[in-house]
């Protein structure tokens, strides 16, 4: 235990950097879990209209994150740095988030106004998200350290998920009433302020590790200003993993309000399930941080997908037995922590592999493109949910026919398990382990 405490002391700058994930997940996690329910059941927008709205968001994300990558690389190479860009971009992002949760209070007259608010949030979020993720390459150059940093990020993200499950979700059941719309708006403002505080702490405490040789700083690696990364086999594989992580895996969490309300007939149980998943993620993050010291991140990611899939399968077979639902939710959380944690450390290593192969470093373009895939996958999953529910005849607040119930189960259970199976098959041919990465880093320095 003492050895691990000493290691955490040396990782203080990694922990400080990772604290930004509390703020980021507080915002994006809230939107991911509650936006669809907010639009359909609180604002009363038809599911088909929501699908078109999510398609607009999908198209906007294609441009916004890639543009943010160009901006981050340009600013970094001219001395602004990733950390300063994070500080400058945090306040606009906080304002955009507060506007989303003020929609029930503002009651916008058209779906176009709602679309502008959501796209404003996505654009502002991209400006801080791309440099914060790119900073992972700079705060840690060792594959093991990047694995630990990814774990710390997951711990902070899970902490934000606890807040979402215990504070935000309970509000959603009654947010449609005028009396609580103001409370939801103030809750959005409070979350936005917490986000700003977390991002400022992350920017202030992050310590960049420069390329070194013989104990002396030799040069500062310049990030190439490019719109897209180098497209090769390794990037193609991580792109597949990213799409699964954005589209398939979160489908369970996005459907949990519907499953609890219409399948389990226990609307209040959604918060308990999400909280259990989050506590499982906290325990899982510690587990994967310990294991990443001796196992490659790719093999651990495959194991994480297997654990998550087993948990979802058990949940689908649990009926209305609360103890079995809770136990399977904890297992899902352990798997989810590795699924969401480990790809970031792998992606940081892939940038070093790409530099070795192509003799140029496109770190912001690489992170921005993966973020596009993740966020576009998330928007596509919301659109798929809205289109499927609308096609099946879903009517908010009413008893649902068997076809709608089966469709909800397929979305919540079948899609994530299929995604995990594809991810495991992809990871079987993913050779970017700790030892190989160390050799590539030494070659790059030479």
């Amino acid at each position: 235990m003492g050895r691990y405490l000493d290691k955490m002391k040396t990782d203080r700058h990694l922990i400080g950097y990772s604290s930004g994930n509390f703020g980021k997940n507080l915002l994006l996690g809230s939107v991911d879990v509650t936006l669809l329910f907010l639009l359909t059941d609180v604002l009363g927008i038809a599911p088909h209209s929501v699908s078109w709205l999510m398609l607009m968001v999908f198209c906007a994300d294609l441009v916004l994150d890639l543009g943010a990558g160009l901006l981050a690389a340009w600013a970094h190479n001219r001395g602004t740095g990733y950390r300063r860009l994070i500080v400058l971009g945090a306040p606009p992002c906080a304002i955009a988030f507060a506007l989303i949760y003020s929609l029930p209070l503002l009651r916008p007259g058209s779906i176009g106004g709602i679309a502008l608010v959501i796209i404003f949030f996505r654009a502002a979020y991209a400006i801080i998200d791309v440099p914060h993720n790119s900073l992972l390459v700079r705060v840690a150059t060792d594959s093991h350290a990047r694995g630990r940093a990814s774990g710390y990020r997951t711990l902070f993200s899970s902490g934000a998920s606890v807040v979402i499950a215990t504070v935000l979700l309970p509000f959603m059941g009654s947010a449609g009433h005028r009396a609580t719309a103001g409370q939801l708006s103030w809750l959005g403002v409070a979350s936005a302020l917490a986000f700003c505080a977390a991002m400022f702490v992350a920017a202030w405490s992050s310590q960049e590790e420069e390329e070194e040789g013989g104990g002396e700083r030799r040069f500062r690696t310049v990030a190439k200003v490019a719109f897209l990364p180098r497209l090769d086999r390794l990037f193609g594989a991580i792109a597949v993993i990213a799409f699964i992580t954005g589209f398939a895996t979160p489908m369970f969490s996005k459907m949990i309000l519907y499953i609890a309300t219409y399948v389990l007939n226990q609307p209040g149980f959604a918060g308990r399930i999400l909280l259990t998943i989050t506590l499982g993620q906290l325990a899982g993050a510690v587990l994967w941080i310990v294991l990443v010291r001796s196992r490659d991140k790719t093999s651990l990611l495959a194991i994480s997908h297997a654990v998550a899939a087993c948990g979802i399968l058990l949940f689908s077979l649990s009926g209305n037995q609360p103890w079995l639902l809770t136990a399977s939710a904890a297992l899902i959380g352990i798997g989810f922590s590795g699924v969401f944690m480990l790809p970031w450390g792998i992606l940081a290593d892939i940038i070093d592999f790409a530099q070795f192969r192509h003799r140029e470093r496109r770190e912001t373009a690489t992170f921005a493109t993966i973020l596009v895939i993740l966020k576009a996958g998330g928007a596509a999953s919301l659109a798929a949910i809205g289109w499927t529910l609308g096609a099946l005849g879903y009517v908010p607040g009413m008893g649902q026919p068997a076809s709608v119930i089966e469709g909800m189960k397929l979305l919540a259970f079948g899609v994530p398990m299929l995604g995990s199976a594809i991810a495991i098959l992809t990871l079987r041919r993913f050779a970017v382990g700790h030892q190989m990465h160390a050799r590539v880093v030494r070659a790059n320095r030479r």
Side-chain angles (χ1 to χ4, degrees):
M1 179 61 70
R3 182 162 60 91
Y4 287 116
L5 291 176
D6 291 338
K7 178 60 70 174
M8 290 187 68
K9 289 180 181 178
T10 63
D11 285 350
R12 280 179 296 184
H13 70 291
L14 299 180
I15 296 173
Y17 155 76
S18 302
S19 65
N21 272 64
F22 177 86
K24 292 199 304 178
N25 194 52
L26 186 62
L27 266 58
L28 195 62
S30 298
V31 170
D32 279 346
V33 172
T34 65
L35 179 60
L36 187 62
F37 196 83
L38 178 69
L39 295 176
T40 59
D41 286 49
V42 177
L43 295 177
I45 302 174
H48 278 102
S49 298
V50 173
S51 297
W52 284 108
L53 176 60
M54 289 302 103
L55 180 61
M56 293 174 59
V57 173
F58 169 82
C59 295
D61 275 339
L62 293 178
V63 178
L64 294 174
D65 281 306
L66 294 176
L70 283 173
L71 174 64
W74 178 84
H76 181 79
N77 291 341
R78 280 156 182 76
T80 300
Y82 297 144
R83 293 185 293 173
R84 190 175 299 175
L85 199 59
I86 291 169
V87 172
L88 294 174
C93 186
I95 293 171
F97 177 82
L99 283 175
I100 288 178
Y101 285 91
S102 297
L103 289 174
L105 184 66
L106 300 175
R107 293 290 177 182
S110 68
I111 195 170
I114 297 174
L116 288 176
V117 171
I118 296 174
I119 292 174
F120 173 39
F121 168 72
R122 293 281 187 167
Y125 188 89
I127 291 175
I128 60 97
D129 195 27
V130 171
H132 182 261
N133 284 301
S134 300
L135 197 55
L136 175 59
V137 179
R138 303 283 175 157
V139 298
T141 57
D142 175 69
S143 179
H144 296 85
R146 286 172 178 171
R148 296 196 305 275
S150 298
Y152 299 141
R153 284 164 52 112
T154 300
L155 288 173
F156 281 106
S157 295
S158 299
S161 296
V162 170
V163 176
I164 295 170
T166 57
V167 180
L168 182 60
L169 276 181
F171 269 84
M172 295 308 296
S174 58
H177 300 291
R178 189 72 177 177
T180 60
Q183 295 177 340
L184 184 63
S185 177
W186 278 112
L187 189 62
V189 171
S191 299
L193 292 174
F195 159 78
C196 284
M199 299 315 299
F200 292 159
V201 169
W204 174 77
S205 58
S206 297
Q207 174 187 334
E208 298 186 31
E209 295 181 5
E210 302 293 348
E211 299 284 356
E212 296 178 356
E216 297 179 359
R217 186 175 297 177
R218 297 177 60 192
F219 60 88
R220 180 178 181 84
T221 303
V222 176
K224 182 177 178 61
V225 181
F227 197 65
L228 291 172
R230 284 283 190 174
L231 304 180
D232 55 20
R233 181 178 60 84
L234 284 180
F235 181 82
I238 196 66
V240 171
I241 298 298
F243 183 76
I244 292 169
T245 306
F247 178 82
T249 304
M251 193 77 80
F252 180 85
S253 298
K254 292 175 182 178
M255 287 297 300
I256 198 61
L257 279 170
Y258 295 95
I259 293 295
T261 302
Y262 300 110
V263 178
L264 301 177
N265 296 314
Q266 301 180 61
F269 201 54
R272 177 178 170 183
I273 294 172
L274 188 58
L275 178 61
T276 303
I277 291 175
T278 302
L279 295 176
Q281 286 181 295
L282 288 169
V286 175
L287 172 66
W288 305 123
I289 289 173
V290 173
L291 292 178
V292 81
R293 300 178 188 277
S294 57
R295 298 288 299 272
D296 289 336
K297 296 188 289 289
T298 50
S299 62
L300 292 178
L301 180 56
I303 295 172
S304 300
H305 272 286
V307 172
C310 290
I312 292 173
L313 178 61
L314 180 61
F315 190 97
S316 68
L317 300 175
S318 298
N320 286 317
Q321 302 181 50
W323 67 271
L324 196 53
L325 291 168
T326 302
S328 57
L331 186 62
I332 293 169
I334 293 173
F336 276 6
S337 64
V339 169
F340 296 129
M341 154 190 164
L342 294 163
W344 295 108
I346 296 171
L347 180 60
D349 292 349
I350 286 176
I351 291 173
D352 294 321
F353 279 87
Q355 181 182 356
F356 174 75
R357 289 182 173 186
H358 307 296
R359 311 316 303 165
E360 62 181 26
R361 191 175 185 86
R362 300 186 179 187
E363 56 191 43
T364 53
T366 302
F367 274 100
T369 304
I370 292 300
L371 286 169
V372 165
I373 296 172
L374 281 168
K375 294 178 186 177
S381 69
L382 287 175
I385 292 171
W387 182 86
T388 303
L389 294 180
L392 293 173
Y394 167 73
V395 179
M398 305 293 291
Q400 305 302 326
S403 60
V404 174
I405 297 298
E406 292 304 315
M408 289 179 175
K409 291 180 179 180
L410 180 63
L411 290 170
F413 309 139
V415 173
M417 287 192 290
L418 177 62
S420 291
I422 296 173
I424 292 170
L425 291 175
T426 303
L427 288 164
R428 290 182 62 186
R429 300 176 60 84
F430 217 144
V432 287
H434 294 314
Q435 294 182 357
M436 180 68 74
H437 177 260
R439 291 198 293 268
V440 166
V441 169
R442 288 195 294 268
N444 286 340
R445 288 173 178 171
R446 288 196 297 270

